[in-house]
Amino acid sequence: MIALSNMNRLQVSTDTLLLLLKVYEAKGKEFYYDELFSKDKDVFTKKAIEKNVFYFAKMLDMPLTDARLKLMSQKKLVAKNKTESFLINIKDALASIQKHPKEFELLTNEFDNLARMLSKDYESIKFKSVEKQKGDTLFTAKKVMGKKEDLDKIIEVYNAQNKTKQYELTQLFSNFYIDFMNQDLFTLENEVIAYIGLYAMLLRDFSVFKYVSFYELFFKRFEQYKLALNQANYYYQTGYPNTDLLSKFILDILDEAYESVNNYSREYAFEIKMNKSDNIEATIRTGKEIFSKADLRREHPTVSLITIDRTLKRLKDEGVIQLLGKGRSSKWHRIDEDKRRGGRQLDIFQFTD
């Protein structure tokens, strides 16, 4: 039973309709966000990939420490085992989607290629094969059929429904997702492929996820997702596409994403008007007494490393801060006002009555 083919039986509640209106009103500002954040596009892309990888692993409950997950999400590391190989493959897939969102097409070959990418140095993931009877008798020869044909059918129905322009995108996505999950198409990792496929579809049409981590919000609402999935699966065999909760789940994530990027855009626009070096100096003067360059980068993700280095050098020359240690592990120490004079650090024995 294909949920997509029964979408004419869907009903939209008043609450869902209001949420839809809110999301699409927010979506109308995407061109503004793209222009506002254009200079730091690469920074946002990198941050989104890092967070998506980290929270994707958390969703899968991978047996890796948070410290290791952060390293793997931020840097190119050599895998220690198959779990890490699989996570690296997921990272490559998510990075490809994040960097080229508009190039994703809902084609069977896209999912086939995704399965191959996820298989590298891990386990072979391919379409399942099933035996189907050619005729009606016991002795009729059986034909081996690939599950690839089932995915062809789902995509065909999706495209047909999409062309009618009768259904809202997130409803189409949720029904496609349920069809995909229930067909059990691949030999391994069906759920992972479904997660990635859903994200590729969403990012292609909702560019807010260029700036906000989809999987961070997904993980935050994971219990809501499981409840929605259980409801949809329960009714799947009846032919009634009860995907209300799943559609609501997707809309809730979109709503929170747009709220987040809208709030950040106001701060970002204000920061552009100010001198970025002044912002860094303000953080140093009011923040932790001992801090690292990495701390400043976390506080100011869109400020270039050159600007941070230039500000640190200036404040060091002014006697506001001093360097502790050398190399990557080095930190900076803010010097108290009473230990400074004329822009230089004072020796405790330099001045006497």
Side-chain angles (χ1 to χ4, degrees):
M1 188 64 66
I2 297 180
L4 281 160
S5 60
N6 291 277
M7 286 192 64
N8 60 323
R9 297 173 63 180
L10 282 173
Q11 294 183 345
V12 179
S13 68
T14 303
D15 288 345
T16 301
L17 182 58
L18 291 173
L19 186 56
L20 275 168
L21 291 172
K22 184 182 178 186
V23 165
Y24 277 93
E25 183 181 2
K27 178 175 166 57
K29 293 182 68 175
E30 286 181 348
F31 288 110
Y32 166 71
Y33 298 139
D34 288 346
E35 183 178 353
L36 178 65
F37 300 138
S38 60
K39 290 184 179 179
D40 294 303
K41 177 184 174 183
D42 292 342
V43 175
F44 281 107
T45 298
K46 184 174 181 293
K47 288 291 181 183
I49 293 170
E50 289 175 3
K51 282 195 169 186
N52 277 338
V53 172
F54 180 85
Y55 285 102
F56 202 111
K58 299 291 282 184
M59 282 164 50
L60 298 183
D61 198 21
M62 286 186 166
L64 300 170
T65 64
D66 283 1
R68 183 64 177 169
L69 284 180
K70 286 178 181 177
L71 276 176
M72 293 190 69
S73 65
Q74 294 170 359
K75 300 179 180 180
K76 192 171 183 178
L77 302 179
V78 176
K80 296 180 178 179
N81 49 52
K82 283 193 174 183
T83 297
E84 292 194 356
S85 292
F86 189 44
L87 183 57
I88 289 171
N89 296 341
I90 291 171
K91 180 179 180 179
D92 290 342
L94 295 180
S96 180
I97 293 168
Q98 200 73 30
K99 292 173 182 177
H100 312 286
K102 298 298 182 183
E103 293 182 22
F104 174 79
E105 293 185 70
L106 194 62
L107 300 171
T108 303
N109 283 344
E110 286 275 32
F111 288 94
D112 193 14
N113 291 334
L114 172 59
R116 294 172 190 272
M117 178 181 283
L118 295 176
S119 300
K120 182 182 177 183
D121 300 323
Y122 178 57
E123 301 283 353
S124 176
I125 304 172
K126 58 183 70 173
F127 282 104
K128 283 185 176 179
S129 297
V130 293
E131 288 187 342
K132 295 185 178 179
Q133 200 84 15
K134 278 186 177 180
D136 297 329
T137 72
L138 176 64
F139 303 103
T140 304
K142 292 181 178 180
K143 181 182 179 182
V144 176
M145 305 285 288
K147 279 281 192 173
K148 192 172 184 178
E149 295 177 11
D150 291 339
L151 182 55
D152 287 336
K153 184 178 180 181
I154 298 172
I155 292 175
E156 182 183 345
V157 176
Y158 173 92
N159 289 331
Q161 295 288 35
N162 193 26
K163 284 180 182 178
T164 67
K165 303 300 180 184
Q166 294 180 10
Y167 306 107
E168 189 272 324
L169 274 175
T170 60
Q171 290 184 324
L172 282 168
F173 293 167
S174 59
N175 279 268
F176 177 86
Y177 185 83
I178 289 302
D179 283 330
F180 188 98
M181 291 287 280
N182 278 272
Q183 291 301 317
D184 194 27
L185 300 165
F186 292 90
T187 54
L188 288 171
E189 309 298 351
N190 278 277
E191 192 171 44
V192 170
I193 295 172
Y195 287 160
I196 296 174
L198 176 63
Y199 182 52
M201 294 170 76
L202 277 166
L203 182 59
R204 182 187 58 190
D205 292 292
F206 296 92
S207 66
V208 65
F209 295 118
K210 290 192 290 188
Y211 313 112
V212 180
S213 168
F214 170 71
Y215 292 109
E216 181 179 8
L217 299 178
F218 197 129
F219 179 70
K220 178 181 176 181
R221 297 177 176 272
F222 204 61
E223 290 303 317
Q224 180 186 352
Y225 163 74
K226 288 191 288 186
L227 182 63
L229 186 65
N230 288 339
Q231 184 197 65
N233 287 338
Y234 179 79
Y235 288 101
Y236 187 80
Q237 297 304 324
T238 69
Y240 181 77
N242 196 339
T243 55
D244 295 353
L245 289 183
L246 188 59
S247 294
K248 176 69 163 50
F249 166 76
I250 293 173
L251 286 172
D252 282 339
I253 286 181
L254 282 165
D255 182 40
E256 187 171 353
Y258 281 117
E259 286 277 359
S260 177
V261 77
N262 187 53
N263 292 335
Y264 180 70
S265 70
R266 289 196 292 267
E267 298 173 11
Y268 185 90
F270 178 73
E271 186 170 319
I272 286 177
K273 294 177 183 178
M274 294 179 64
N275 185 300
K276 290 186 176 182
S277 180
D278 288 346
N279 288 340
I280 297 168
E281 180 176 349
T283 298
I284 292 171
R285 288 182 180 275
T286 60
K288 296 184 295 185
E289 184 177 349
I290 296 177
F291 60 93
S292 66
K293 190 186 297 185
D295 292 331
L296 295 177
R297 298 206 72 180
R298 278 192 292 272
E299 290 286 332
H300 303 272
T302 60
V303 177
S304 70
L305 187 58
I306 293 174
T307 301
I308 292 175
D309 286 338
R310 189 183 298 123
T311 305
L312 289 171
K313 183 181 184 304
R314 175 172 63 81
L315 293 178
K316 179 185 175 184
D317 291 343
E318 293 175 3
V320 176
I321 57 176
Q322 64 180 2
L323 185 62
L324 303 177
K326 294 182 179 180
R328 292 185 177 182
S329 61
S330 64
K331 291 185 180 293
W332 291 87
H333 175 229
R334 185 179 68 244
I335 303 166
D336 293 339
E337 288 285 345
D338 59 357
K339 292 184 179 179
R340 278 187 271 131
R341 181 172 175 179
R344 296 176 58 189
Q345 184 178 0
L346 301 181
D347 188 290
I348 193 170
F349 301 112
Q350 183 175 349
F351 298 95
T352 58
D353 293 331

